């Protein structure tokens, strides 16, 4: 594993190259776009990038990680990432062990594959191929997904309910996300569905992984908020509204 020490500023060609054709940035105003670059440079100065064996340093990928990570907080500030200290770039999806307890109290253990991972110790693992595919409006964004976990856990609890801003209604947030999460679970998890229910499942923009836990629903919803905002607003308009208030952005407004 190798540590990379960054230069103090992002070169113009690297910034434009990393953001080129990534549609998640299209809704930003000129002021927000300038703020994004300032935050990205600060993000890189304050964090270590480590490279796993089998992958070479890629400056455009580094800048893309910084830009994508700072997109959710462009109007909030980097204080939301105060517990995020290190980024580990790996060559691709990797095996990870899991242990889950179902509603009956039975523990299930096994091995799964992941493209990213959040650690409460300040380390975020990201798969290089998945980073390169993030930001183009396809719906999946590993950087924003893991960044959402950091945001969620800032108040000390990873539960799909980040610390809300003054003026936001905590009860409203809980009601909206609980309803949407339960609805998605019913569509994805339940083995007994009518034909119409199966059609709704196929039409969902959500990865089924979002139905595994409230924190994963929040992270996947955050991905969709930036990647496919019109789909999210159509499927769960109240979730979109709450995320728009929280992130202080309205990406669907520019994609009519």
């Amino acid at each position: 594993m190798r540590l990379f020490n960054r230069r103090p500023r992002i070169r113009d060609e690297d910034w434009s190259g990393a953001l080129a054709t990534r549609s998640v940035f299209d809704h930003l105003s000129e002021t927000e776009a300038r703020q994004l670059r300032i935050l990205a440079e600060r993000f890189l100065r304050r964090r270590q990038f480590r490279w796993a064996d089998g992958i070479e340093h890629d400056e455009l990928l580094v800048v893309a990680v910084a830009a994508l990570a700072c997109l959710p907080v462009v109007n909030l500030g980097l204080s939301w990432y105060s517990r995020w200290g290190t980024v580990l770039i790996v060559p691709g999806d990797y095996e990870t062990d899991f242990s889950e307890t179902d509603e009956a109290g039975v523990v299930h253990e096994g091995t799964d594959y992941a493209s990213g991972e959040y650690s409460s110790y300040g380390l975020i693992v990201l798969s290089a191929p998945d980073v390169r595919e993030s930001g183009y409006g396809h719906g999946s964004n590993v950087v924003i997904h893991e960044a959402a976990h950091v945001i969620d856990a800032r108040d000390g609890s990873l539960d799909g309910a980040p610390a809300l801003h003054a003026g936001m209604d905590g009860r409203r947030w809980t009601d909206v996300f609980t309803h949407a999460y339960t609805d998605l679970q019913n569509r994805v998890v339940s083995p007994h569905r009518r034909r119409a229910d199966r059609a709704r499942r196929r039409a969902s923009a959500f990865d089924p992984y979002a139905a595994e836990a409230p924190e994963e629903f929040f992270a996947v919803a955050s991905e969709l908020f930036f990647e496919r905002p019109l789909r999210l607003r159509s499927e769960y308009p109240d979730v979109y509204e709450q995320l728009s208030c929280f992130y202080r952005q309205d990406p669907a407004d520019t994609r009519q």
Side-chain angles (χ1 to χ4, degrees), residues 51-122:
W51 301 81
D53 295 338
I55 183 171
E56 296 298 323
H57 168 76
D58 180 342
E59 183 69 6
L60 289 183
L61 185 142
V62 170
V63 175
V65 169
L68 291 169
C70 290
L71 178 60
V73 297
V74 69
N75 291 322
L76 306 181
L78 283 180
S79 61
W80 286 86
Y81 294 155
S82 59
R83 298 186 179 184
W84 183 356
T86 305
V87 177
L88 172 61
I89 305 295
V90 297
D93 291 357
Y94 56 95
E95 289 188 356
T96 179
D97 296 330
F98 71 86
S99 177
E100 298 175 346
T101 303
D102 63 23
E103 294 180 356
V106 179
V107 177
H108 302 271
E109 296 182 340
T111 301
D112 204 348
Y113 288 88
S115 60
E117 189 173 358
Y118 160 81
S119 167
S120 59
Y121 299 104

Side-chain angles (χ1 to χ4, degrees), residues 17-18 20-22 51 54-62 64-65 68 89-92 115 126-138 140-143 227:
T21 72
R22 280 189 160 97
W51 301 81
I55 183 171
E56 296 298 323
H57 168 76
D58 180 342
E59 183 69 6
L60 289 183
L61 185 142
V62 170
V65 169
L68 291 169
I89 305 295
V90 297
S115 60
L126 299 171
S127 158
D130 288 277
V131 172
R132 295 189 180 103
E133 294 172 4
S134 296
Y136 297 99
H138 305 313
S140 178
N141 194 309
V142 66
V143 181
E227 288 276 342

Side-chain angles (χ1 to χ4, degrees), residues 96-237:
T96 179
D97 296 330
F98 71 86
S99 177
E100 298 175 346
T101 303
D102 63 23
E103 294 180 356
V106 179
V107 177
H108 302 271
E109 296 182 340
T111 301
D112 204 348
Y113 288 88
S115 60
E117 189 173 358
Y118 160 81
S119 167
S120 59
Y121 299 104
L123 169 69
I124 297 296
V125 182
L126 299 171
S127 158
D130 288 277
V131 172
R132 295 189 180 103
E133 294 172 4
S134 296
Y136 297 99
H138 305 313
S140 178
N141 194 309
V142 66
V143 181
I144 289 178
H145 185 103
E146 302 307 331
H149 284 324
V150 178
I151 291 169
D152 182 5
R154 183 172 180 252
D155 61 358
S157 179
L158 185 64
D159 56 4
L164 300 181
H165 312 306
M168 292 190 69
D169 186 338
R171 181 175 297 179
R172 169 69 174 162
W173 176 282
T174 299
D175 289 346
V176 165
F177 274 82
T178 298
H179 173 78
Y181 174 63
T182 302
D183 178 70
L184 187 68
Q185 279 194 313
N186 290 335
R187 294 160 62 186
V188 171
V189 178
S190 174
H192 306 293
R193 304 185 186 90
R194 293 181 294 107
R195 183 175 300 175
D197 293 329
R198 291 197 295 271
R200 284 186 70 216
R201 179 191 177 191
R202 288 195 296 272
S204 177
F206 277 74
D207 187 302
Y209 183 60
E212 292 195 2
E215 62 268 24
E216 297 303 340
F217 182 88
F218 170 69
V220 174
S222 294
E223 291 181 75
L224 292 172
F225 179 76
F226 292 102
E227 288 276 342
R228 306 187 72 181
L230 293 175
R231 283 294 305 273
L232 176 62
R233 191 173 66 178
S234 174
E235 190 168 346
Y236 291 120

Side-chain angles (χ1 to χ4, degrees), residues 29-41:
S29 67
E30 291 184 8
T31 299
E32 289 172 328
R34 288 193 296 270
Q35 178 67 4
L36 180 70
R37 183 165 180 173
I38 292 170
L39 290 180
E41 291 181 337

